[in-house]
Amino acid sequence: MERDSQLELYAAVAARLKEAHARVRALQVPEGVRMALSRKLLVVTAAAKHDLPDAARRLDRLMKDLDEGRFPEGD
């Protein structure tokens, strides 16, 4: 039973990561901001390999920031 919930969480995180990548690509922001957001997505992807619940929380925060128009400073 627990394995099923892990698989469901994995599928949900994977789908949301795909959506997040598409949203970042579509943003009309300076390249430095896009790169900073892409790095955040890479961190979430790496976290998903070791701590799926933490990755889901990080992704939730990132998506909320995108929804609210809060973007990191570009280099």
Side-chain angles (χ1 to χ4, degrees), residues 27-43:
L27 286 174
Q28 298 295 315
V29 295
E31 189 60 29
V33 173
R34 186 180 326 284
M35 287 175 55
L37 288 167
S38 293
R39 283 192 298 272
K40 285 180 176 259
L41 286 169
L42 288 174
V43 168

Side-chain angles (χ1 to χ4, degrees), residues 30-74:
E31 189 60 29
V33 173
R34 186 180 326 284
M35 287 175 55
L37 288 167
S38 293
R39 283 192 298 272
K40 285 180 176 259
L41 286 169
L42 288 174
V43 168
V44 172
T45 302
K49 295 176 184 177
H50 305 286
D51 188 347
L52 195 54
D54 180 54
R57 285 188 296 275
R58 288 174 183 245
L59 185 55
D60 286 342
R61 282 193 304 270
L62 177 60
M63 294 296 275
K64 184 177 180 187
D65 287 346
L66 290 176
D67 289 342
E68 295 176 359
R70 288 193 310 256
F71 305 123
E73 301 257 338

Side-chain angles (χ1 to χ4, degrees), residues 12-25:
V13 168
R16 292 199 68 217
L17 273 170
K18 185 176 179 179
E19 175 190 349
H21 278 279
R23 286 184 63 186
V24 167
R25 268 194 314 273

